[in-house]
Amino acid sequence: MYDTLIGNVRVLDGSGGAEYTADVALSGGRIAAIGDLSGQPAGQIINGAGLALAPGFIDVHTHDDTNVIRTPGMLPKLSQGVTTVVVGNCGISASPVSLRGEPPDPMNLLGQRDDFAYPTFADYTRAIEAAHPAVNVAALVGHTALRNNHMDRLDRSATRDEVLAMREQLREALAHGAIGLSTGLAYGSAIEADTAEVKLLAEVLDEFGALYTTHLRSEFAAILEAMQEAFDIALHARVPVVVSHLKCAGAGNWGRTKEVLFKLENAGRMQHVGCDCYPYSASSSTLDLKQVTDEFDIDITWSVPHPEQARRKLSAIAADWGVTLLEAAKRLQPAGAVYHNMHEDDVRRVLSNRLTMVGSDGLPNDPMPHPRLWGAFPRVLGHYSRDVGLFPLPEAVHKMTGLSAARFGLAERGLVRTGFHADLVLFDPATVIDRATFAAPVQTAAGIEAVWVNGVLSYRHGQPTGDRAGRWLPRNGDLRASFAASTPALQEP
């Protein structure tokens, strides 16, 4: 007898191929059978008529590092159909970290000082296993976290001895299953790291067949140069590279995604490259003085010295105080902000590219989070696929499942296949949509009917079941082979 039988459902298997109708049976945490299973006994039978069944969504770009332990219910992700999160992005990770004071910006996005309780990567993996989060967790190691551990200050390049110490800590983390290394070279805590520092550190990735992901040194005017740096680092290390949240930020940069994507695809003829993006035309991070401008709106989401100014536009705060935007931003720091700094056409161009995966980049510790935290994946399905027609539904699912699993080496996940882990989401293609907005961002999505994590029903009818079945997912072998297989070779023009 099967544990669960989902009958007469539209199967979007995560490969990008055509959908089909079938019954899907689950047993022992795995997909036990697919086909005509009518009349077969099961502990629970769910009528899937009119609904679609897909692999659980894989959020490849998250900052859930401490939240999978502190708030293991993970409702912002589970309610979207996300069954696996990749943490440690943008150069910031919860582990391995040893703080001497408060977490430096932007590590403070992950939590307070007490939240960084994992001096070794093994400590972190044990904490995840003990917490039993509702979603699976795979992790990158942050470059800024390593710099924090081995440097007296972060506004300079590391010495060779400091980088060698970082290398040993990275090697230890990779040996304990880390997926790879992430950098956030645009941030003040890492921008003084030169290319040679990152190359020397990234060499360790080659030993393990791990991955390099990067928040580029610039997403503004110098984006092409920043992309070339990323490609050079990965080529030097002989590993795949994923460009994080690819965008053209700043009004003067709008429209440049055509040349940006040409550069990405051209690099893909010589090395393994990919990118992720979130389906919104606004970004969110800490309040960065370099991004203060009057060219687009900037919303303040939190401020330590002036919490009363949260949920207001920077321009309104500056006007009230009778100061410039820059002076107001200085007074508000440390603070968080949403930057409406992208053009919708660029978002659609990047999102629809065949090299692009979906990642939310949500900030779970922000009291007024960007709506992507709660809505990114249903927005791709409902708004961009169904309503806008940017791509067919099977392709939308592929960008959030099969492609992501292959790129990050998540074995036997990301596809609806017999024998694969039963990470699944049941949704209504006619009604699925994000409901989170910039004004009211903490809202669950519509149309997500049920979510299974490792075969356990974890979310149903808009509510978590209370059963948490997520697991720690160590790196699975050499990622170069699965990454290469994820995207057919680009042809010469």
Side-chain angles (χ1 to χ4, degrees), residues 11-34:
V11 177
L12 296 149
D13 69 3
S15 70
E19 66 177 73
Y20 59 90
T21 300
D23 305 323
V24 178
L26 317 182
S27 187
R30 300 269 183 166
I31 299 172
I34 304 170

Side-chain angles (χ1 to χ4, degrees), residues 132-148:
H132 299 293
V135 297
N136 302 308
V137 184
L140 298 156
V141 173
H143 171 227
T144 297
L146 297 174
R147 299 185 100 231
N148 161 85

Side-chain angles (χ1 to χ4, degrees), residues 137-366:
V137 184
L140 298 156
V141 173
H143 171 227
T144 297
L146 297 174
R147 299 185 100 231
N148 161 85
N149 297 343
H150 298 283
M151 298 176 67
D152 58 348
R153 60 181 223 269
L154 303 181
D155 59 347
R156 62 173 176 83
S157 289
T159 66
R160 180 176 177 82
D161 285 347
E162 287 167 340
V163 179
L164 292 177
M166 292 184 218
R167 277 167 55 117
E168 286 309 305
Q169 201 163 35
L170 175 60
R171 183 177 283 113
E172 181 183 20
L174 292 168
H176 280 88
I179 291 177
L181 172 72
S182 77
T183 57
L185 300 175
Y187 288 106
S189 52
I191 199 166
E192 295 302 325
D194 57 25
T195 307
E197 173 183 324
V198 185
K199 281 184 175 180
L200 187 58
L201 187 58
E203 287 172 359
V204 181
L205 302 174
D206 183 31
E207 301 173 24
F208 293 86
L211 190 68
Y212 176 57
T213 76
T214 180
H215 177 150
L216 296 171
R217 197 176 290 273
S218 175
E219 297 172 328
F220 293 81
I223 186 171
L224 295 181
E225 294 82 357
M227 291 176 72
Q228 189 59 52
E229 178 187 37
F231 300 151
D232 289 347
I233 290 167
L235 200 58
H236 174 80
R238 298 183 295 189
V239 295
V241 58
V242 172
V243 178
S244 297
H245 43 59
L246 184 60
K247 66 173 77 71
C248 285
N253 225 21
W254 290 347
R256 293 187 65 202
T257 47
K258 291 180 181 179
E259 55 185 306
V260 163
L261 289 169
F262 177 81
K263 187 171 185 67
L264 184 72
E265 292 171 354
N266 196 50
R269 296 186 174 93
M270 299 175 288
Q271 62 189 117
H272 303 315
V273 303
C275 67
D276 65 65
C277 80
Y278 46 82
Y280 299 85
S281 59
S283 65
S284 180
S285 187
T286 52
L287 181 57
D288 179 8
L289 299 182
K290 298 192 302 295
Q291 294 192 54
V292 173
T293 178
D294 61 1
E295 293 179 340
F296 48 77
D297 285 337
I298 300 174
D299 304 329
I300 301 302
T301 60
W302 57 270
S303 168
V304 171
H306 294 283
E308 76 281 359
Q309 300 299 338
R311 299 175 179 251
R312 300 191 67 204
K313 294 191 182 305
L314 178 61
S315 58
I317 297 169
D320 284 353
W321 288 349
V323 298
T324 64
L325 292 175
L326 187 59
E327 178 58 33
K330 288 178 180 177
R331 290 190 192 181
L332 290 165
Q333 286 187 309
V338 168
Y339 306 88
H340 297 269
N341 58 3
M342 288 172 265
H343 194 284
E344 176 65 16
D345 290 348
D346 287 323
V347 174
R348 295 184 184 192
R349 197 172 289 125
V350 173
L351 186 59
S352 61
N353 189 274
R354 75 194 201 107
L355 295 176
T356 303
M357 302 171 286
V358 175
S360 73
D361 197 16
L363 302 178
N365 300 307
D366 196 318

Side-chain angles (χ1 to χ4, degrees), residues 117-138:
Y118 319 106
T120 71
F121 199 77
D123 292 332
Y124 183 64
T125 63
R126 284 192 291 268
I128 291 173
E129 290 170 343
H132 299 293
V135 297
N136 302 308
V137 184

